[in-house]
């Protein structure tokens, strides 16, 4: 599948890199004598090369001397990294035995499983694990997107559904038409959010669009595209947007026709914005001391955004990863709505182009049977995702440590982590370490000995996506290539004794005595799914007399009113003070007004890093040479602490300490420091991290809507 031979007998396999970076990039894998010798970018239809530095370095990842190539059994204390090689049979027997023991002793709900979004395809992803574990009697599944739960919640209460264009904020034509583009907490030069956004921004600027960056950092995107940088304090974005709404309403700049036609609750929203509800008018003067943005700047941006039609608000997920992050996303939607800049076709039904079925039949999770819905359930989601039997993915440490006594549905004893460096990527690592040490058994399926894998009892080696076959479903990302589905062909055989996630599940199904689990090879299963698509296409052309209607662009909103709800009936029904009916600014914990600020006066943010996709690729020498891990600090804050460029500093709070070089720069506003997320946690004997992992310093609780608040943390920085 998707392979060609060259005159020199090299095999060239065309596949797609989709390693949880936000992009989808085609590339050709050149194979000689069963080994990858080169990876080549396949240009997009508009001529762009279409592959980033991580794709170019993927060959080094495949052949890294640190790859896990054999099953391992822990021989030392958890976290020590002491393991011994064992056979697959011993490893699988051990895992199956522990699963059966824990099920018998504590029940299926005591078993947690999480699979993250690395290479999120069909055969080797969530469905494979879900089917296996449901066949075993059930498990506790997670809920909540680590990256964008704040946005998902906001869309659920405002529109009653998610956008049809997924995690890409806007379609290509919107950039080309825009006269004003506001990059709010958005840095597409680093975070793809769909391949090709940067080129569209460059073309939009060439066509005359003015681009403004609102961000605590002067990002690479701001440097490349923006004509204005507006620094803003972390966690205050909703206040700035409310001030813009005040100016728009007070000066009668709103799109009255759009509001009348498509919204519900504008009058209640207006009452709050103008201060008639609580006596506090949300003026730019009100917002200035909160946000650190001058009132005149906010007022000017509001007028420009309302008048320059069409204007595009690129509201990224980053500001939503804060203490009340859903309020930022709700306010962004409100601003787009009251100015008429919202594209309603974003909420039209998604086209029905998913015409193959995975080989895993849907199975309800027995653990969720008869469990009530969570208090903050979003009706647009199914009952399983809304089930109170689930645990928020950011709350595993709390759930393990507290269990039923802490209000969680079960006492957790078993944890299986797949495609994730969980310990590294969720809040409060030191708390997670305590939680992991409490568990009776941890299974990790991995490619490398990550910080998480070091805590496992059994580590099973997993091959990369170049060593297996799969099918990628249609993804509505910002790419010049419109895909129905994509076959991901195997380029080389799995290295060492590594296996695919599917093969591991198949082997465990046998050990656990689960019948009916698919036992064909991944290549056979892909062929079956492709044949199913072909059969459906043939049936459609030969046997269906009626013409399939064109995809509708009419929005179908699933709110109680059927309209965009600026005062949300769904939120009101939750009856929770931190989830108000209208979007509001709620001061975060660990803000500058928190008493903790006396000891920890700097706000920490943990942005993405160009050379990593979350924690992936952090260990590749080619990429580490390009960008050193360091904490960015404004020169004013550095000078006050006697810190100069590349000084080793300690970044700390009550939750932990990181020692890392300082990067002294004007590209971050005073009072804020940035430590890029994804660096591997590397503690010394005293628990001080020398790897630069930001989550040593963040909290493990969630926002009321369920978002990971990774940008809400106070710290101090001192020279070592």
């Amino acid at each position: 599948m998707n392979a060609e031979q060259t005159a020199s007998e090299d095999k060239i396999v065309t596949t797609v890199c989709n390693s949880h970076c936000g992009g989808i990039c085609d590339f050709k894998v050149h194979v000689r004598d069963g080994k990858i010798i080169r990876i080549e970018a396949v240009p997009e239809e508009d001529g762009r090369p279409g592959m980033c530095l991580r794709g170019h370095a993927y060959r080094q990842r495949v052949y890294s001397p640190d790859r896990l190539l054999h099953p391992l059994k822990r021989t030392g204390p958890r976290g020590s990294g002491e393991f011994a090689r064992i056979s697959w049979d011993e490893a699988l027997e051990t895992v199956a035995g522990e699963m059966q023991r824990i099920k018998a002793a504590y029940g299926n709900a005591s078993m947690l499983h999480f699979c993250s979004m690395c290479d999120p395809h069909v055969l080797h992803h969530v469905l494979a694990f879900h089917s296996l574990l449901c066949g075993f009697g059930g498990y506790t599944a997670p809920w909540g997107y680590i990256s964008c739960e704040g946005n998902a919640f906001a869309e659920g209460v405002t529109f009653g559904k998610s956008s049809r264009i997924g995690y890409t904020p806007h379609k290509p034509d919107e950039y080309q038409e825009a006269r004003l583009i506001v990059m709010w907490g958005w840095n597409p030069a680093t975070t793809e959010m769909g391949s090709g956004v940067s080129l569209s921004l460059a073309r939009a600027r060439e066509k005359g669009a003015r681009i403004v960056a609102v961000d605590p950092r002067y990002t690479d995107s701001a440097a490349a595209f923006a004509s204005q940088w507006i620094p803003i304090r972390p966690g205050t974005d909703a206040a700035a947007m409310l001030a813009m709404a005040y100016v728009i309403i007070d000066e009668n700049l709103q799109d009255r026709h759009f509001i009348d036609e498509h919204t519900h609750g504008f009058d209640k929203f207006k009452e709050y914005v103008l201060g008639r509800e609580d006596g506090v008018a949300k003026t730019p003067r009100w917002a200035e001391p909160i946000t650190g943005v001058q009132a005149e700047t906010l007022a000017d941006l509001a007028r420009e955004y309302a008048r320059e039609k069409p204007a595009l608000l690129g509201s990224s997920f980053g500001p939503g990863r804060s203490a009340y992050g859903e309020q930022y996303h709700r306010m962004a939607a409100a601003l787009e709505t009251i100015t008429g800049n919202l594209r309603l076709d974003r909420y039209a039904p998604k086209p029905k182009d998913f015409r193959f079925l995975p080989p895993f039949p849907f199975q309800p999770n027995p653990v969720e049977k008869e469990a009530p819905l969570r208090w903050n359930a979003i009706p647009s989601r199914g009952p399983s995702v809304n089930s109170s039997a689930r645990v928020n993915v950011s709350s595993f440490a709390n759930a393990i440590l507290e269990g039923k006594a802490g209000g969680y549905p079960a006492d957790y004893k078993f944890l299986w982590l797949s495609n994730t460096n969980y310990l590294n990527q969720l809040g409060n690592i030191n708390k997670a370490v305590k939680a992991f040490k409490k568990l009776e058994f941890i299974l990790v399926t991995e490619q490398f000995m990550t910080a998480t894998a070091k805590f496992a009892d059994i580590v099973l080696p997993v091959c990369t996506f170049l060593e297996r076959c799969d099918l990628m479903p249609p993804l509505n990302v910002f790419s010049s290539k419109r895909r129905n589905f994509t076959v991901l062909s195997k380029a080389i055989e799995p290295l060492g004794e590594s296996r695919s996630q599917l093969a591991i599940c198949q082997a465990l199904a046998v050990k656990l005595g689960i019948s009916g689990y698919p036992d064909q090879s991944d290549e056979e299963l892909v062929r079956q799914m492709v044949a199913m698509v072909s059969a459906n296409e043939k049936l459609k052309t030969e046997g269906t007399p009626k013409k399939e209607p064109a995809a509708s662009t009419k929005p179908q909103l699933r709110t109680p009113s059927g309209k965009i709800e600026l005062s949300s009936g769904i939120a009101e029904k939750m009856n929770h003070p931190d989830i108000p009916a209208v979007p509001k600014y709620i001061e975060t914990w660990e803000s500058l007004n928190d008493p903790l600020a006396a000891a920890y006066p700097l706000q920490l943010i943990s942005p993405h890093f160009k050379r990593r996709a979350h924690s992936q690729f952090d260990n590749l020498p080619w990429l580490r040479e390009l960008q050193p891990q360091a904490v960015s600090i404004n020169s004013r804050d550095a000078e006050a602490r006697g810190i100069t460029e590349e000084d080793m500093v300690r970044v700390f709070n009550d939750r932990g300490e990181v020692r890392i070089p300082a990067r002294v720069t004007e590209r971050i506003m005073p009072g804020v420091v940035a430590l890029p997320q994804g660096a591997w946690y590397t503690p010394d004997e005293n628990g001080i991290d020398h790897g630069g992992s930001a989550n040593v310093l963040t909290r493990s609780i969630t926002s009321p809507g369920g978002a990971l608040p990774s940008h809400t943390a106070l710290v101090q920085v001192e020279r070592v």
Side-chain angles (χ1 to χ4, degrees):
M1 289 183 278
N2 286 347
E4 56 185 277
Q5 296 292 134
T6 67
S8 62
E9 298 303 321
D10 288 352
K11 182 175 72 171
I12 301 176
V13 179
T14 302
T15 188
V16 177
C17 185
N18 178 218
S19 293
H20 205 185
C21 61
I24 295 181
C25 300
D26 295 80
F27 59 46
K28 291 183 176 181
V29 184
H30 294 248
V31 180
R32 181 180 300 165
D33 298 328
K35 186 170 182 178
I36 298 169
I37 58 170
R38 187 161 72 93
I39 293 177
E40 173 190 10
V42 176
E44 294 277 345
E45 292 170 356
D46 57 10
R48 287 180 291 115
M51 189 168 78
C52 75
L53 69 171
R54 292 164 295 217
H56 283 285
Y58 212 96
R59 183 163 63 95
Q60 190 174 57
R61 174 171 171 167
V62 172
Y63 295 112
S64 169
D66 297 329
R67 271 283 299 272
L68 298 176
L69 300 178
H70 310 282
L72 299 172
K73 181 178 182 179
R74 181 169 59 83
T75 57
R78 283 213 170 112
S80 66
E82 297 172 26
F83 289 87
R85 177 178 171 177
I86 58 175
S87 69
W88 267 104
D89 193 59
E90 180 182 350
L92 294 168
E93 285 285 346
T94 302
V95 173
E98 285 298 307
M99 289 177 70
Q100 289 164 332
R101 179 186 68 79
I102 289 171
K103 174 181 176 178
Y106 308 107
N108 286 80
S110 68
M111 307 175 74
L112 281 162
H113 176 260
F114 173 58
C115 173
S116 190
M117 294 301 290
C118 174
D119 304 322
H121 308 138
V122 175
L123 293 179
H124 307 279
H125 207 242
V126 173
L127 288 175
F129 305 108
H130 176 79
S131 183
L132 176 78
L133 290 167
C134 287
F136 186 61
Y139 67 109
T140 294
W143 71 276
Y145 299 111
I146 296 174
S147 296
C148 57
E149 185 59 28
N151 180 64
F153 183 89
E155 286 196 311
V157 299
T158 306
F159 303 103
K161 64 183 300 186
S162 58
S163 166
R164 67 184 287 179
I165 53 178
Y167 51 43
T168 303
H170 299 279
K171 295 190 293 185
D173 61 301
E174 294 182 63
Y175 293 93
Q176 301 309 309
E177 296 167 0
R179 298 179 63 185
L180 172 71
I181 298 173
V182 181
M183 300 191 300
W184 202 298
W186 184 35
N187 182 20
T190 292
T191 51
E192 290 290 340
M193 295 287 287
S195 306
V197 176
S198 291
L199 181 62
S200 283
L201 286 171
R203 287 175 173 167
R205 195 177 70 163
E206 288 174 357
K207 291 183 68 174
R210 199 173 94 82
I211 300 178
V212 178
V214 183
D215 201 296
R217 299 178 303 143
Y218 186 64
T219 62
D220 288 351
S221 300
F225 308 121
S227 57
Q228 183 182 10
W229 172 39
I230 301 176
I232 185 171
R233 289 185 184 131
T236 66
D237 306 275
M241 290 177 164
L242 278 164
M244 291 175 65
Y246 179 93
V247 172
I248 290 166
I249 295 171
D250 185 58
E251 298 183 9
N252 201 27
L253 299 175
Q254 70 269 31
D255 187 328
R256 192 70 235 187
H257 175 74
F258 190 92
I259 292 170
D260 291 342
E261 190 74 13
H262 300 292
T263 74
H264 165 83
F266 174 72
D267 289 341
K268 285 188 177 178
F269 175 70
K270 179 180 174 181
E271 293 292 298
Y272 171 68
V273 171
L274 298 183
R276 295 169 186 162
E277 178 194 309
D278 58 1
V280 179
K282 312 308 178 295
T283 66
R285 292 287 174 207
W286 163 81
E288 181 174 314
I290 297 171
T291 62
V293 182
Q294 290 186 349
E296 292 76 13
T297 302
L298 287 172
D300 289 345
L301 183 61
R303 295 181 187 113
E304 189 177 7
Y305 182 65
R307 289 170 174 159
E308 293 292 334
K309 300 287 183 67
L312 187 152
L313 178 57
S315 50
S316 184
F317 297 153
R321 289 194 290 271
S322 56
Y324 297 96
E326 53 271 2
Q327 299 304 320
Y328 150 73
H329 287 292
R330 294 180 71 190
M331 267 311 304
L335 272 184
E336 287 187 286
T337 299
I338 66 173
T339 55
N341 281 309
L342 182 78
R343 291 272 294 252
L344 280 169
D345 59 350
R346 200 185 298 171
Y347 296 95
K350 294 179 180 178
K352 295 180 179 178
D353 51 4
F354 197 100
R355 295 191 175 90
F356 65 87
L357 292 174
F360 310 102
F362 172 75
Q363 297 185 55
N365 187 345
V367 165
E368 296 167 3
K369 186 179 180 181
E370 298 179 357
L373 302 182
R374 287 189 307 277
W375 69 270
N376 56 357
I378 303 172
S380 55
R381 287 173 162 166
S384 175
V385 179
N386 279 327
S387 172
S388 61
R390 294 196 174 208
V391 173
N392 186 288
V393 67
S394 302
S395 301
F396 276 17
N398 299 330
I400 293 166
L401 290 170
E402 300 173 21
K404 289 181 181 176
Y408 290 92
D411 293 320
Y412 305 99
K413 307 293 181 182
F414 174 98
L415 177 63
W416 180 356
L417 296 170
S418 312
N419 292 353
T420 177
N421 190 357
Y422 183 94
L423 186 88
N424 208 77
Q425 295 306 105
L426 279 297
N428 200 342
I429 287 177
N430 286 320
K431 190 172 192 179
V433 166
K434 292 178 183 175
F436 281 22
K437 289 181 176 178
K438 185 183 177 186
L439 289 165
E440 294 192 11
F441 192 81
I442 301 175
L443 168 63
V444 171
T445 50
E446 249 300 353
Q447 295 172 5
F448 294 96
M449 185 55 70
T450 63
T452 302
K454 289 181 179 177
F455 285 80
D457 293 277
I458 294 289
V459 181
L460 300 181
V462 179
C463 60
T464 69
F465 79 97
L466 298 179
E467 300 158 69
R468 56 172 169 76
C469 294
D470 210 334
L471 207 61
M472 188 176 73
L475 293 176
N476 295 307
V477 297
F478 191 179
S479 169
S480 62
K481 293 179 181 175
R482 291 298 158 208
R483 308 162 190 269
N484 189 5
F485 63 88
T486 306
V487 174
L488 305 174
S489 298
K490 181 194 293 184
I492 58 172
E493 293 300 317
L495 266 60
E497 296 181 358
S498 66
R499 297 184 182 181
S500 70
Q501 301 279 22
L502 174 65
I504 292 171
C505 289
Q506 289 172 326
L508 277 174
V510 173
K511 293 288 185 185
L512 293 168
I514 297 172
S515 60
Y517 196 84
D519 58 0
Q520 301 98 318
S521 71
D522 52 7
E523 186 169 354
E524 286 178 275
L525 292 170
V526 168
R527 289 186 192 282
Q528 289 177 14
M529 288 190 286
V530 171
M532 186 186 304
V533 174
S534 300
N536 288 342
E537 290 297 319
K538 186 177 180 182
L539 183 65
K540 186 178 72 174
T541 55
E542 295 180 357
T544 308
K546 62 181 181 181
K547 184 179 179 181
E548 187 171 307
S552 172
T553 58
K554 186 178 179 181
Q556 291 184 355
L557 305 181
R558 296 174 182 165
T559 55
S561 65
K563 295 186 173 183
I564 304 165
E565 296 205 343
L566 296 172
S567 179
S568 168
I570 297 170
E572 187 172 20
K573 195 174 178 182
M574 291 177 186
N575 192 29
H576 192 286
D578 288 337
I579 300 183
V582 299
K584 293 185 176 181
Y585 168 67
I586 305 174
E587 186 170 356
T588 70
W589 58 79
E590 299 200 25
S591 72
L592 292 179
N593 292 323
D594 191 309
L596 276 175
Y600 307 118
L602 299 171
Q603 290 183 282
L604 172 73
I605 57 175
S606 50
H608 287 50
F609 214 27
K610 185 73 174 175
R611 69 172 167 87
R612 291 192 289 260
H614 303 292
S615 75
Q616 292 185 90
F617 305 97
D618 185 52
N619 58 331
L620 299 191
W622 288 352
L623 299 180
R624 293 178 75 93
E625 287 180 13
L626 297 176
Q627 281 183 304
Q629 179 76 356
V631 61
S632 295
I633 183 170
N634 183 271
S635 59
R636 189 188 308 174
D637 295 322
E639 184 178 358
R641 291 163 174 77
I643 296 169
T644 58
E645 180 74 5
E646 296 188 2
D647 277 353
M648 185 61 71
V649 297
R650 52 190 297 255
V651 188
F652 62 98
N653 58 22
D654 288 343
R655 291 179 285 274
E657 178 176 333
V658 173
R659 295 197 181 182
I660 196 79
R663 180 176 175 238
V664 180
T665 177
E666 304 302 318
R667 293 181 62 175
I668 190 165
M669 66 184 297
V672 182
V673 293
L675 186 58
Q677 64 102 345
W680 288 12
Y681 170 64
T682 311
D684 62 17
E685 64 277 10
N686 298 313
I688 296 171
D689 175 43
H690 295 263
S693 184
N695 285 319
V696 169
L697 306 161
T698 59
R699 294 183 69 176
S700 59
I701 61 173
T702 69
S703 78
L708 169 70
S710 57
H711 295 314
T712 303
L714 289 173
V715 298
Q716 179 58 291
V717 179
E718 292 179 354
R719 187 176 176 184
V720 175

